[in-house]
Amino acid sequence: MGDIADSYPDPVHIAVIGGTGIQHLPTFHHVASLTVPTPWGSPSSPIRILHHPSPRTGRPIPIAFLSRHGLHHELAPHEVPSRANIAALRYIGVRCVIAFSAVGSLQEEVKPRDFLVPDQVIDRTKGFRPWTFFEGGMVGHVGFAEPFDEELATVVRRCGHVLEGDGVRLHDRGTLICMEGPQFSTRAESLLYRSWSGAVINMSCLPEAKLAREAELAYCMICMATDYDSWHATNATVDVQMVMGHMNANAGNAGVFLAKVLDELSGYEDEEAVEGSVAGVVRGKRWEGQSRLATGMTGAAGRKTEALDRLEWLFPGSFKT
């Protein structure tokens, strides 16, 4: 294996944000590790660049991989520097993010080791986590009614269903509850979330998904159930040993699923990127320019130089003309 570079010359459009148990992608070739300082601090890990041959042309396609909780899972959910993570990915060119997360199941039919692609989220974090790029002298209000990119989710679901019968069981939709943590739910909380029609629960989706929307990235989460949280009458309540046991046992299926999604997305890198196409999803065309439109409420006299400098770093040429 050759030396790993500390820089990469080309834009990287596709990224994976990995959670517990997804630290390596077999069959992908590691070519670079990037350290990207941002105005919001350093990301939770170096950004690894992996090459994967396009299934259409054979050209090496770069994929960025970021470890959400750090290389050794040393960051608690409330300690994850989500602003730096999302900002660093956008800075290197990323416009399409596949996020992976272990989750607890709130519904009988979503069994441990099943996968689910959520289409909604309920925020049960407590406001400790920095959750916006638009503050300190520049206010922005972006739409979040549909928190996950549906076009990207369609690609993910299609890949998952192709693998059904080979160990992958996929649920197409469901509401994700994002709790604060790091403690697991009480039984009363778990039952409450079930009454809200919650399908799964984690500690990772927010503010990550909100910041991805502000940064104009197509974002989709793949959830893998590891337990029945705390509500189930006939199953043991969740603990770390249970979570890790199911993650380790299902790591092969998770890797195959993720590799299939990345293979599908990378095949469109060389096509014209128009909104509504898979190539357009890879380049985030649906969200392009939305954040600039969301900042019209702050008058010129109220705009702070420091805030504009930060946003100009994130959106070059958009906020200081």
Side-chain angles (χ1 to χ4, degrees), residues 119-123 144 147-148 174-178 205-206 209:
D119 59 339
Q120 280 295 326
V121 63
I122 294 174
D123 190 349
F144 201 60
F148 305 102
T175 295
L176 187 157
I177 309 292
C178 186
C205 182
L206 299 173

Side-chain angles (χ1 to χ4, degrees), residues 58-313:
R59 181 174 74 87
I61 303 299
I63 310 289
F65 191 95
L66 180 64
S67 296
R68 181 187 290 116
H69 294 285
L71 292 178
H72 308 288
H73 202 101
E74 66 270 24
L75 298 173
H78 66 282
E79 296 176 316
V80 173
S82 293
R83 288 192 297 187
N85 288 350
I86 294 298
L89 291 176
R90 180 178 170 87
Y91 184 78
I92 66 170
V94 169
R95 298 296 182 269
C96 173
V97 174
I98 300 295
F100 198 96
S101 176
V103 298
S105 170
L106 297 170
Q107 300 298 329
E108 186 79 49
E109 63 270 19
V110 182
K111 297 177 172 58
R113 306 187 193 180
D114 284 4
F115 296 93
L116 183 142
V117 178
D119 59 339
Q120 280 295 326
V121 63
I122 294 174
D123 190 349
R124 288 286 291 166
T125 62
K126 303 295 180 62
F128 302 128
R129 313 175 186 192
W131 60 86
T132 183
F133 294 114
F134 298 104
E135 62 179 5
M138 192 65 176
V139 175
H141 298 283
V142 301
F144 201 60
E146 305 299 329
F148 305 102
D149 188 285
E150 184 59 26
E151 293 173 344
L152 180 55
T154 297
V155 175
V156 172
R157 293 176 186 123
R158 182 167 67 241
C159 292
H161 287 305
V162 167
L163 297 171
E164 285 186 328
D166 294 325
V168 173
R169 176 179 163 88
L170 177 65
H171 303 268
D172 280 349
R173 297 181 183 278
T175 295
L176 187 157
I177 309 292
C178 186
M179 63 178 290
E180 182 61 49
Q183 302 84 5
F184 295 117
S185 306
T186 67
R187 193 178 308 279
E189 288 169 334
S190 195
L191 291 168
L192 175 66
Y193 302 147
R194 276 174 51 79
S195 76
W196 292 351
S197 299
V200 292
I201 183 168
N202 76 1
M203 306 174 191
S204 304
C205 182
L206 299 173
E208 189 174 275
K210 290 182 176 180
L211 293 164
R213 179 61 50 82
E214 288 189 344
E216 301 177 358
L217 310 184
Y219 178 98
C220 176
M221 180 164 273
I222 299 175
C223 300
M224 190 180 83
T226 58
D227 55 83
Y228 277 118
D229 199 44
S230 303
W231 64 271
H232 205 288
T234 59
N235 281 269
T237 57
V238 58
D239 58 26
V240 170
Q241 289 71 32
M242 183 186 298
V243 171
M244 295 307 299
H246 284 297
M247 284 297 303
N248 292 334
N250 210 27
N253 288 330
V256 168
F257 188 2
L258 190 56
K260 177 68 175 174
V261 172
L262 296 177
D263 188 63
E264 178 76 9
L265 293 172
S266 64
Y268 291 89
E269 275 276 15
D270 295 314
E271 293 196 1
E272 182 181 2
V274 296
E275 186 175 344
S277 68
V278 177
V281 171
V282 170
R283 303 295 180 89
K285 286 296 182 180
R286 180 182 177 189
W287 309 109
E288 201 171 80
Q290 293 301 304
S291 286
R292 177 66 182 268
L293 296 174
T295 58
M297 297 181 70
T298 304
R303 299 184 177 193
K304 301 293 192 295
T305 300
E306 295 84 357
L308 291 173
D309 287 344
R310 289 192 297 267
L311 291 173
E312 183 65 17
W313 189 92

